[in-house]
Amino acid sequence: GEDVEQSLFLSVREGDSSVINCTYTDSSSTYLYWYKQEPGAGLQLLTYIFSNMDMKQDQRLTVLLNKKDKHLSLRIADTQTGDSAIYFCAESPSGRRALTFGSGTRLQVQP
Amino acid sequence: DGGITQSPKYLFRKEGQNVTLSCEQNLNHDAMYWYRQDPGQGLRLIYYSQIVNDFQKGDIAEGYSVSREKKESFPLTVTSAQKNPTAFYLCASRPSQGPAPLTEAFFGQGTRLTVV
């Protein structure tokens, strides 16, 4: 995950919005992804965005992509305690047959 | 139900021993992957396979070996040459092979390996 960077920790209150940020380095990535990992479990795909899009909204989730700055963000509206997890962003560089993951951001939601 | 099954969930190994982690999928996916997860370091790619009887090294393949004799199965062996094997291991698969774009990767529930 050395090419994809995320902050390690974010704490929010229940009902607030959460914004998790990610920077990536490979501008050839066609898709960028957000995964969620609950304790002791595998990763679950939350959403993804095609590289020619600036924004994608899916219910409480909003993904923003700034290709110029290679910056990706995930906004979770009305954050709930069930949203507490580790969130990973991932890129799909061309010429590489596997995703490259960031180090993950641990989201803690306080009641 | 279709999915990816990793077993066992917890595994303990004595130093100097080889151990094999199982990964089975019934999703009819061509590509399968092994990742290692350490705290604060995200997921690092160990090995991947795009098709039966073929596999490629990832970023941290030293001390690991794999086989892909069947489409459904992609076992990972952690050998005694792996100096720091204690970690959480995740297996994943995805449906399509060929050039990008990649499609969704499905993950198993992971195996936590501890060297004692």
Side-chain angles (χ1 to χ4, degrees):
Chain A
E2 61 185 357
D3 294 332
V4 181
E5 296 186 353
Q6 301 178 237
S7 54
L8 289 182
F9 186 76
L10 175 66
S11 180
V12 300
R13 291 197 177 276
E14 191 173 17
D16 289 348
S17 292
S18 307
V19 180
I20 301 171
N21 294 301
C22 171
T23 57
Y24 62 98
T25 58
D26 195 323
S27 58
S28 71
S29 292
T30 307
Y31 288 94
L32 295 140
Y33 302 81
W34 283 104
Y35 282 83
K36 177 183 180 182
Q37 183 183 35
E38 297 185 354
L43 274 67
Q44 172 194 0
L45 179 68
L46 279 181
T47 187
Y48 63 91
I49 188 167
F50 189 48
S51 60
N52 69 352
M53 298 172 64
D54 297 324
M55 184 182 83
K56 179 180 179 181
Q57 188 156 359
D58 184 2
Q59 299 182 342
R60 292 191 298 123
L61 305 178
T62 302
V63 179
L64 295 177
L65 175 59
N66 181 331
K67 284 194 72 175
K68 176 177 173 290
D69 296 336
K70 297 189 183 68
H71 184 263
L72 182 73
S73 68
L74 173 69
R75 178 178 181 270
I76 306 173
D78 187 25
T79 312
Q80 304 297 307
T81 54
D83 295 325
S84 293
I86 300 176
Y87 291 82
F88 292 92
C89 64
E91 62 177 354
S92 58
S94 64
R96 179 175 165 93
R97 302 304 178 103
L99 300 178
T100 299
F101 287 85
S103 55
T105 299
R106 182 177 296 275
L107 174 64
Q108 180 182 68
V109 183
Q110 299 178 346
Chain B
D1 286 336
I4 303 177
T5 302
Q6 289 187 241
S7 60
K9 189 169 175 65
Y10 299 97
L11 189 57
F12 296 87
R13 189 196 89 173
K14 293 183 179 179
E15 281 194 40
Q17 288 182 338
N18 293 352
V19 65
T20 298
L21 283 60
S22 170
C23 178
E24 304 275 335
Q25 54 100 359
N26 60 4
L27 301 165
N28 199 34
H29 287 174
D30 292 308
M32 297 186 73
Y33 307 83
W34 275 105
Y35 289 90
R36 170 181 170 141
Q37 185 178 17
D38 295 282
Q41 294 192 42
L43 277 68
R44 292 183 289 170
L45 181 66
I46 304 172
Y47 267 99
Y48 64 99
S49 168
Q50 298 289 306
I51 197 168
V52 174
N53 292 322
D54 185 53
F55 46 83
Q56 307 295 328
K57 291 183 179 180
D59 301 316
I60 56 165
E62 186 175 351
Y64 299 97
S65 66
V66 293
S67 63
R68 187 84 187 278
E69 296 177 1
K70 299 186 297 182
K71 189 175 186 178
E72 312 83 63
S73 178
F74 191 40
L76 173 74
T77 297
V78 184
T79 74
S80 57
Q82 170 50 236
K83 297 306 178 190
N84 186 22
T86 295
F88 190 53
Y89 290 88
L90 285 162
C91 178
S93 71
R94 69 174 180 85
S96 63
Q97 64 181 79
L102 297 179
T103 53
E104 177 178 353
F106 291 80
F107 281 81
Q109 293 299 297
T111 293
R112 185 166 299 280
L113 173 64
T114 303
V115 174
V116 296

